[in-house]
Amino acid sequence: MSYKLVLKDTFWQIFAKIVSAMVGFVVTMLVTRYLGSLRYGDYGTVAQYFVLRTAFADFGLYVIGLKDMGKLQHEQQKNITDLDMKSAMEIRYSQYVRSRFFMMGIIYAIAIVLAYTIPSYTDNIYLVWGLPLGMLYSALTLGWSMFRMPLQLNRNMKHVSISLFLARFSQITVLLVLMFWIAPASSFSHESLPLVVFLGVVFSMLMSALTEFVYTYIAGGSYLRLRWVPFRNFWKEFLLNNWKYGLSQFFSGLYVPLLFIVLGWLYPTVAGYGYSWQWYLGAALMGMMWIISSALGNSMLHKVTNYDIAKQKKSFGSFFLLMLWLGLLVFVNFLVFAKPIIHFVAWSRATWSDFLTRIDGSMYDAIWYALTHFSTIDQSLLWADFLMPFFGIVLIVSFIKNMYTYLFVATHHHNKLLLINLLSVVIGFFVGSTLIYYYALLWAAIGQIVYGVIFLLLFAFYAKLYAITPTFALADVYKIIAFYGIVLIGGYFVRLAPDQFVLFLVVAAVFNLLTLWVRFPRLKRIAKKLV
C-alpha cells in the first residue's frame, strides 16, 4: 500500500476537522449573541453533559474494531473472490456497530435519569427540555463515528469530510432561518428568552449530527452493509477481552475535563477573571491540531496490524519522527503568532493584561519582560497570556502519547494501557490542580505537561519491557530539534502587531511553507516508511 494513500486519508480527516472547527467558531459567535450569556451557558450544558458518558459508551470499540476488521480485510484481499469473507466482514462490522448502540442505550439511559435528580437542572426549564435533545445529539455523533469504519478501511475518508461540511451547513441554515425569519432577536429579550427559541437553537445542533449520521451511514453502506445479526455473545466476549483497554481510554479522556472543572471553579469568568477564556481557546485550538496524530494512527492501524513485529516497530518509529516534526511546527506557530491568533478570535486587544499591551514586539519580548519583572507582575492574570506556547508543548507530548497508544494496540498489548492511564491521570491531576490552586492559569498547562511526561515515561518503560520500542535513529531526532532551533531564531524577527490580521495570514503562510519546503525531502523519506 502506498504511503500516499495513508497521507491522503489523513489529510481529508484533518482538513474536515479544521474547516468544521472554523465554522464552529462562527456558530459560537452567532449563538452567543442570540441567546445571551445566561442561556448560552444552558446551551453549553446541554451540549457537554454527555461528553464524559461518551467515553464509557465507546469503550475502545472503534479502535479495536478497526484493528480486527483490518485483519479480516487482509484475509479477504488474499481471497478476493471468496464471498464468504465479504459476508464475514459485514457480520463482524454489524456486531461492532450494534454493540456500540447497545452500550449507548445503557449509558445514556443512566445519564439522563441522573440528570433529572440534580436540583439545579430540574429547576431550569431550559435544561429539562433541552437535555433529551442533547442526548440525541451525542448519540448520533457517537453512531456517526462508528459508520466511518468502512470508509476508513477502504481509504475513502473524503466522505467523512463531506458529511462534516453538510452537517455544519445544515446547522447554520437552521440557525439563520430561526434568527432572521422565525424569531428575530429584536422580538424578545435575553432575560425572557422563549423556551421554543432555545430549543430551536439546540435543534440546529441536533440537525447537524443527524445530517452527518445519515450521510455517513449511506456512504459506508456502499462498502459494508449493516445487518441485523445477534451480537450479545460478541459484546460479552469483547468486554471480557478488552475491558482494561476500554477503561484506559475512559481515564485517558477524563483528565482534561477534570482540569476544566477545577479551572471553572477557581477562575470563573463571572467573578472577574477575564483571561480564563484563553485556556478554553488554547484547548480548542489544541483539539483541532490533535486530530493530526489520531487521523494518522487510524489510517495506519488496520494495515500495520498485519505486519511482523520488526516492521511494526519501524512503522511506528517513522510515526514518532513525523509527530515530533509536526508537533514542533505547531509549537513554533503558537509561540511566534500567539498574539495575533488570540486577538483575531477575541476581536479586541483589551483581552491582554495591561503590561502586555505596552509590549509592541513579539511574544519573545513579552516572555523576556515577564521573566525579568517576575516579582512585580500580577501572576493570577498575567500568565494566562502565555498559555498558547505552553499548549504547543502539551501538543507535542500528546502527539507522541498517541503514537504509543496505537503502537500498543497494533502489537496486542492494549490492555497494558490501563495501569499507565490510571497512574498518569491520578498523579497528573493532583499535580495540575494543586498548581492551579496555589499559582495561576499557566500552571494548568504545566500540569498537563507533567501529566504527559509521566505518560511517556511509563509508555517507554512498558514498550522496552515488552520489546516493542519503536525503531528510529537518535540522529534524526537531534536533526529535527536542531532544525527547529534555527526556526525559532528566525521567528524572533517576525514582528506583528496583534491587529495586523491580513499581514499575519501572509507572514504565517510564508513562514510555514518555507519551513516545510526546506525539509520536504526528509519528510517524504519519513512518510514512505509509515506503511
Side-chain angles (χ1 to χ4, degrees), residues 268-376:
T269 53
V270 294
Y273 292 103
Y275 307 107
S276 58
W277 70 273
Q278 292 184 24
W279 165 275
Y280 297 92
L281 168 63
L285 291 172
M286 200 170 69
M288 289 171 58
M289 297 297 103
W290 184 82
I291 189 65
I292 294 173
S293 61
S294 60
L296 183 58
N298 286 335
S299 297
M300 289 175 56
L301 182 61
H302 59 280
K303 186 68 178 181
V304 175
T305 298
N306 299 302
Y307 293 170
D308 61 66
I309 188 66
K311 195 173 181 180
Q312 285 178 333
K313 288 160 67 174
K314 289 180 180 178
S315 291
F316 281 99
S318 297
F319 192 171
F320 168 79
L321 293 175
L322 197 58
M323 289 302 97
L324 179 63
W325 207 96
L326 294 175
L328 284 168
L329 180 63
V330 174
F331 163 70
V332 169
N333 277 272
F334 278 13
L335 175 63
V336 175
F337 302 113
K339 293 174 73 174
I341 289 173
I342 292 183
H343 175 82
F344 168 67
V345 176
W347 296 98
S348 171
R349 191 173 182 175
T351 55
W352 299 98
S353 54
D354 291 339
F355 110 91
L356 200 51
T357 59
R358 298 196 300 269
I359 304 297
D360 293 325
S362 66
M363 181 61 76
Y364 293 76
D365 300 316
I367 292 174
W368 177 251
Y369 185 94
L371 290 174
T372 54
H373 296 75
F374 187 85
S375 60
T376 61

Side-chain angles (χ1 to χ4, degrees), residues 119-141:
S120 60
Y121 286 5
T122 54
D123 293 341
N124 187 329
I125 189 65
Y126 299 97
L127 294 183
V128 168
W129 287 92
L131 281 171
L133 297 181
M135 181 181 69
L136 289 176
Y137 163 76
S138 181
L140 288 171
T141 301

Side-chain angles (χ1 to χ4, degrees), residues 95-108:
Q95 288 173 327
Y96 275 108
V97 172
R98 296 193 183 283
S99 295
R100 163 71 66 85
F101 278 88
F102 179 70
M103 293 183 71
M104 283 165 50
I106 296 174
I107 299 301
Y108 286 168

Side-chain angles (χ1 to χ4, degrees), residues 147-158:
F147 291 150
R148 295 179 305 170
M149 191 179 292
L151 303 174
Q152 188 95 62
L153 290 166
N154 290 278
R155 307 289 177 196
N156 211 343
M157 291 298 281
K158 68 180 180 182

